[in-house]
Amino acid sequence: MMTMRRTHRGEDSSRQLLRLLSGELSEVEAEALRHRLAEEPDLRRHYDRLTAVWSSLEMEEPAAAPVGFARRIARRVEATGNDRVRWSLAPIWAQATAAVALAGGIALGLGLTTAVASKDGFAVVESDASLAESYWILLDEAAGEPLLEYVAE
Amino acid sequence: MIAAVNTIGPLSAQPVADADWDELRRAAGGDSEAFSGIVERHQGRLLRLCERMLADREEARDAVQEVFIKAYLKASSYTPKGQLYTWLYRIAVNHCLNVLRRRRIVRFKRLGSDPDLVAFDVADEAPAADRVLEARARWRRTRAWLDDLPASQRVVLVLARFEGLSYKEIAAHLGLSLGAVESRLFRAMRTLEKRRAREAEGLGRG
């Protein structure tokens, strides 16, 4: 059984209907709500509207992986590994200069994206998803997390 | 051959419950064949997930590539828990969330200039002989509806409606409370309910 924060009565009913629709209620709870639906026309109408929205959401059946897709990914992974080696072998001064330049760009980018993302309540954790063949990734070694990705085209 | 740049960390120290983890450990040590095996086994399901989340086939393929690269980069430092696929799934969900957020930023800049981004025209739903055309119209409408939702609500709705995940599973993947999952789903459905009513009203007038 789910425990929910307090909401007003109409919203409670809506949430309960949504739980029924998405299969979140126990059999006993579902049965009790179905009984109410039979007794309360307004509630029934609301449930029908929700059901109509739910069932009208349709998407094309996703496609299978294209031929050679796995090989393409393996090549990218390989390139990633090689780029990381090159990065780690670069002189310290080169790494430091590049890091400063990148940090400026990222600060600007993150500033812009965070302003929009913050309304969704999530933190932005990356800056690019380009398909470029090679790119650099700065890692937070302690956490094992990528700090930023830089696409070198 | 993948360069052996990942040092073997916690992954190698843990007993693996899933043979996939062993392959990932080998991949982290530079065995590209091992990584290819993981990709072959999981690419299909991840592609389906990403295509549903993003409603765009090309973007989904890009996303899956990114997911596997992230997995490779984290392989040496991640402590295996449960199944590898669950871990990949979580990376994919969060990656798609970020893609959606960026997409919204781009849309703010391009609104009105790209016909694909214009709200769905209900007139497209006029009776058509070809059922394929009708189905495409419904898919387009779904995408337009989803595009109107904030990324955080859209992701929850897609996971519940198309992936069939429970609130609990969605909460685990997104790191949210059950209440937050329900609130986002509730708000998404309320928005779509209003939009559907508006469209029906427009059709009635037309």
Side-chain angles (χ1 to χ4, degrees), chain A residues 2 4-5 11 14-15 18-19 21-22 24 46 49-50 52-66 69-70 72-74 76-78 80-82 84-85 113 116-117 120 122-123 125-126 129-131 135 137 144-146 149, chain B residues 1-3 5-6 35-36 39-40 43 47-48 51-52 57 61-62 64-66 68-70 72-74 77 95 97-98 101-102 105 108 138-139 141-142 145-146 150-152 157 160-162 166-167 178 182-186 189 192-193 196:
Chain A
M2 298 188 67
M4 293 297 155
R5 68 185 169 80
E11 189 171 317
S14 296
R15 285 169 185 260
L18 194 51
R19 283 177 220 155
L21 194 60
S22 48
E24 288 291 320
H46 190 183
R49 284 199 304 273
L50 280 177
V53 170
W54 191 259
S55 58
S56 64
L57 291 171
E58 288 181 45
M59 278 193 197
E60 184 177 13
E61 193 52 37
F69 188 66
R72 225 158 60 217
I73 292 176
R76 276 209 60 194
V77 167
E78 192 172 341
T80 302
N82 291 337
R84 291 179 66 210
V85 168
T113 50
V116 177
D120 291 333
F122 289 98
V125 296
E126 62 190 334
S130 166
L131 266 179
Y135 58 92
I137 295 174
E145 298 282 335
E149 298 179 9
Chain B
M1 182 75 174
I2 294 173
V5 292
N6 281 351
F35 199 76
S36 294
V39 174
E40 288 281 358
Q43 62 180 2
L47 271 170
R48 281 196 293 278
E51 196 171 327
R52 284 172 174 150
R57 190 157 292 167
R61 288 174 183 172
D62 294 352
V64 170
Q65 293 197 40
E66 297 296 330
F68 279 116
I69 286 173
K70 281 181 182 176
Y72 169 72
L73 291 173
K74 291 180 178 179
S77 58
H95 182 79
L97 188 58
N98 286 314
R101 196 170 293 122
R102 279 197 298 271
I105 295 166
F108 291 139
R138 291 196 299 273
W139 300 335
R141 181 181 61 184
T142 296
W145 284 7
L146 293 177
S152 58
L157 178 63
R161 172 65 180 84
F162 295 102
S166 67
Y167 290 4
L178 284 180
E182 181 172 71
S183 287
R184 285 167 196 201
L185 187 59
F186 173 76
M189 287 295 286
L192 297 188
E193 207 182 327
R196 186 174 182 276

Side-chain angles (χ1 to χ4, degrees), chain B residues 21-204:
Chain B
W21 287 116
D22 186 50
E23 280 193 315
L24 189 61
R25 181 185 57 78
R26 282 168 35 217
D31 182 347
S32 57
E33 287 299 314
F35 199 76
S36 294
I38 292 171
V39 174
E40 288 281 358
R41 269 195 304 287
H42 300 298
Q43 62 180 2
R45 283 191 291 179
L46 290 177
L47 271 170
R48 281 196 293 278
L49 167 71
C50 292
E51 196 171 327
R52 284 172 174 150
M53 296 273 280
L54 302 172
D56 185 295
R57 190 157 292 167
E58 284 308 312
E59 272 190 296
R61 288 174 183 172
D62 294 352
V64 170
Q65 293 197 40
E66 297 296 330
V67 168
F68 279 116
I69 286 173
K70 281 181 182 176
Y72 169 72
L73 291 173
K74 291 180 178 179
S76 63
S77 58
Y78 187 76
T79 304
K81 278 177 282 200
Q83 293 195 317
L84 176 70
Y85 178 68
T86 309
W87 183 58
L88 293 174
Y89 193 96
R90 187 166 303 152
I91 295 174
V93 166
N94 285 292
H95 182 79
C96 288
L97 188 58
N98 286 314
V99 170
L100 288 171
R101 196 170 293 122
R102 279 197 298 271
R103 184 195 279 171
R104 288 184 77 80
I105 295 166
V106 174
R107 286 181 76 227
F108 291 139
K109 292 176 184 165
R110 296 174 58 196
L111 200 59
S113 60
D114 185 339
D116 228 24
L117 303 177
V118 174
F120 175 69
D121 180 0
V122 288
D124 285 356
E125 261 201 332
D130 192 338
R131 285 198 303 181
V132 174
L133 284 178
E134 287 179 353
R136 283 188 183 149
R138 291 196 299 273
W139 300 335
R140 220 163 43 236
R141 181 181 61 184
T142 296
R143 179 172 176 167
W145 284 7
L146 293 177
D147 281 350
D148 260 4
L149 298 173
S152 58
Q153 292 177 26
R154 173 187 178 137
V155 166
V156 170
L157 178 63
V158 169
L159 291 177
R161 172 65 180 84
F162 295 102
E163 289 287 301
L165 299 193
S166 67
Y167 290 4
K168 194 175 169 185
E169 288 167 322
I170 297 170
H173 284 307
L174 294 174
L176 299 170
S177 66
L178 284 180
V181 169
E182 181 172 71
S183 287
R184 285 167 196 201
L185 187 59
F186 173 76
R187 290 202 299 272
M189 287 295 286
R190 194 168 54 186
T191 301
L192 297 188
E193 207 182 327
K194 285 177 185 165
R195 176 154 183 176
R196 186 174 182 276
R198 276 201 312 274
E199 289 181 0
E201 203 175 298
L203 275 178

Side-chain angles (χ1 to χ4, degrees), chain A:
Chain A
M1 184 184 299
M2 298 188 67
T3 315
M4 293 297 155
R5 68 185 169 80
R6 185 86 188 127
T7 52
H8 63 79
R9 190 172 159 73
E11 189 171 317
D12 276 345
S13 291
S14 296
R15 285 169 185 260
Q16 197 71 357
L17 293 176
L18 194 51
R19 283 177 220 155
L20 178 65
L21 194 60
S22 48
E24 288 291 320
L25 295 182
S26 69
E27 202 41 56
V28 174
E29 291 169 321
E31 195 47 48
L33 188 54
R34 283 194 202 98
H35 184 73
R36 276 187 65 198
L37 286 170
E39 301 285 317
E40 301 175 35
D42 283 350
L43 195 64
R44 176 83 236 178
R45 275 192 289 277
H46 190 183
Y47 184 64
D48 289 344
R49 284 199 304 273
L50 280 177
T51 307
V53 170
W54 191 259
S55 58
S56 64
L57 291 171
E58 288 181 45
M59 278 193 197
E60 184 177 13
E61 193 52 37
V67 178
F69 188 66
R71 211 168 42 246
R72 225 158 60 217
I73 292 176
R75 273 206 305 271
R76 276 209 60 194
V77 167
E78 192 172 341
T80 302
N82 291 337
D83 282 350
R84 291 179 66 210
V85 168
R86 273 188 234 123
W87 177 258
S88 66
L89 292 177
I92 295 296
W93 64 265
Q95 293 184 37
T97 307
V100 168
L102 288 173
I106 290 303
L108 178 63
L110 284 183
L112 290 173
T113 50
T114 305
V116 177
S118 58
K119 76 182 170 62
D120 291 333
F122 289 98
V124 175
V125 296
E126 62 190 334
S127 60
D128 206 318
S130 166
L131 266 179
E133 280 295 315
S134 64
Y135 58 92
W136 295 334
I137 295 174
L138 295 185
L139 291 176
D140 176 347
E141 291 295 346
E145 298 282 335
L147 282 177
L148 73 90
E149 298 179 9
Y150 175 72
V151 179
E153 290 184 285

